[in-house]
Amino acid sequence: MDDQNPFAQPGEWYKGCLHVHSTASDGRLSPEDVSVWYHARGYNFVALTDHNVPSRAQTLGQDWITLAGIEVDGVDLEAGLYHLVGLGLELPWPKPRGADGLQEAVDRLRAAGALVCLAHPYWSGQRSADLIDLAGCFALEVYNGGCEIDDAKGFSHVHWDDLLAAGVRLWGLAVDDAHWRIGDRDAGLGWVWVRAPALTQAAILAALEQGCFYASSGPEIYDLVLDRDCGEVTVRCSPAVSIDFVGNGRLSRRVLAAKGQSLTEANYRLRDSQRYVRVACLDASGGWAWSNPLFLDGAGS
């Protein structure tokens, strides 16, 4: 069993929203209405991540929980504006100060027991060089739906690959960052499918930290197989117009469907100098699904 591949793990798949706002900060829906919106649309969990206002974890039924969450923002002298999402933090917590640098804010959230995600680095104006020495984040937002529809800066996959190629191990999240300013147009845009043994905050957080999930704004990934013996990766997914295998440097490949057709499977031969590979599937509606990187540790052909 490949312990870094969620598709090789036991458990169930749970759909979740990990970045959303309510009237507790600058959102237009109450926390209760936010919860109702996602539950009614088949999600299994949501993290309310209001600005500098922590939310509590709750178990609201056999198929529905909320995770403790917060979004912390500040300005770093070198990295500039930053936003961090903290998941599973414990109360009371050492509230970051407005003058905290980025690393200090991460450290304060970690001290409160939170998993820390770097929110929308492209929208924030950060460069990957600003983040290369940052320690303590488990993930970054590869896709932020609100930043994309509002400001055309929702995709941070270049930041992700720059950091992965430099040896920084980060998982990739897709999120809404919904504020409900114009109805629900910024909701239901990005989510994660987490593979976990149970629908509890502890199980979901552990799976997130281990990378046992994939991110999506539309397509589903059904299976991802890394055959280390023959040096090949195979993916099966819902109908896609292209499937990308992305690695360090030039070690990537796009598989395109024939015009008017779709793909549901593709494979990729690893190279000797390949340090990681991640998969991205694009569907005909413009939705993406992103696997987390598989770190190869010398695997290749």
Side-chain angles (χ1 to χ4, degrees):
M1 180 181 294
D2 196 326
D3 60 7
Q4 65 167 310
N5 184 354
F7 298 88
Q9 303 302 311
E12 302 292 333
W13 289 105
Y14 299 106
K15 183 179 182 180
C17 166
L18 293 175
H19 187 169
V20 64
H21 297 276
S22 75
T23 51
S25 64
D26 58 345
R28 299 282 179 86
L29 289 187
S30 69
E32 294 76 17
D33 286 342
V34 170
S35 183
V36 167
W37 193 94
Y38 284 101
H39 186 212
R41 286 159 178 80
Y43 288 68
N44 301 111
F45 63 90
V46 65
L48 287 168
T49 54
D50 282 300
H51 292 281
N52 302 306
V53 180
S55 66
R56 295 181 181 273
Q58 298 182 76
T59 299
L60 301 172
Q62 290 186 337
D63 66 343
W64 184 242
I65 66 171
T66 65
L67 307 180
I70 195 169
E71 184 173 12
V72 168
D73 52 80
V75 177
D76 185 274
L77 291 178
E78 295 184 359
L81 174 72
Y82 66 81
H83 286 212
L84 298 168
V85 170
L87 302 171
L89 75 164
E90 301 167 359
L91 300 177
W93 66 294
K95 183 177 181 180
R97 304 175 297 249
D100 278 353
L102 178 53
Q103 186 64 66
E104 292 171 298
V106 172
D107 292 345
R108 283 177 176 268
L109 286 168
R110 294 285 294 156
L115 292 182
V116 184
C117 168
L118 187 66
H120 46 63
Y122 185 28
W123 180 90
S124 296
Q126 292 160 342
R127 302 167 301 165
S128 51
D130 298 323
L131 308 171
I132 196 165
D133 294 323
L134 184 65
C137 290
F138 87 102
L140 60 69
E141 292 176 355
V142 65
Y143 175 71
N144 181 298
C147 291
E148 181 63 16
I149 65 171
D150 288 342
D151 300 299
K153 287 198 169 184
F155 290 91
S156 295
H157 48 271
V158 174
H159 293 73
W160 195 19
D161 281 314
D162 276 353
L163 294 168
L164 290 172
V168 180
R169 296 196 173 198
L170 286 171
W171 311 128
L173 305 179
V175 304
D176 281 346
D177 199 358
H179 289 75
W180 320 94
R181 295 184 181 119
I182 305 178
D184 60 359
R185 75 167 193 168
D186 57 354
L189 301 178
W191 54 89
V192 291
W193 281 103
V194 178
R195 185 78 165 174
L199 183 61
T200 64
Q201 173 170 274
I204 294 296
L205 291 177
L208 287 169
E209 186 171 25
Q210 294 162 12
C212 284
F213 66 92
Y214 72 92
S216 182
S217 66
E220 293 183 65
I221 299 177
Y222 299 138
D223 198 14
L224 181 62
V225 177
L226 169 61
D227 188 329
R228 294 179 181 270
D229 292 331
C230 70
E232 190 169 83
V233 177
T234 301
V235 64
R236 293 192 304 107
C237 61
S238 56
V241 295
S242 69
I243 298 175
D244 299 343
F245 297 88
V246 182
N248 50 291
R250 298 178 61 189
L251 302 181
S252 297
R253 176 178 171 232
R254 170 164 287 178
V255 181
L256 288 169
K259 188 174 181 179
Q261 298 183 23
S262 61
L263 295 165
T264 57
E265 184 173 329
N267 56 58
Y268 172 72
R269 190 78 169 171
L270 300 170
R271 321 293 176 80
D272 288 333
S273 57
Q274 192 137 18
R275 296 195 296 275
Y276 76 91
V277 62
R278 63 175 182 82
V279 174
C281 307
L282 174 66
D283 68 17
S285 299
W288 287 91
W290 298 268
S291 82
N292 278 315
L294 300 174
F295 296 104
L296 303 173
D297 297 323
S301 59

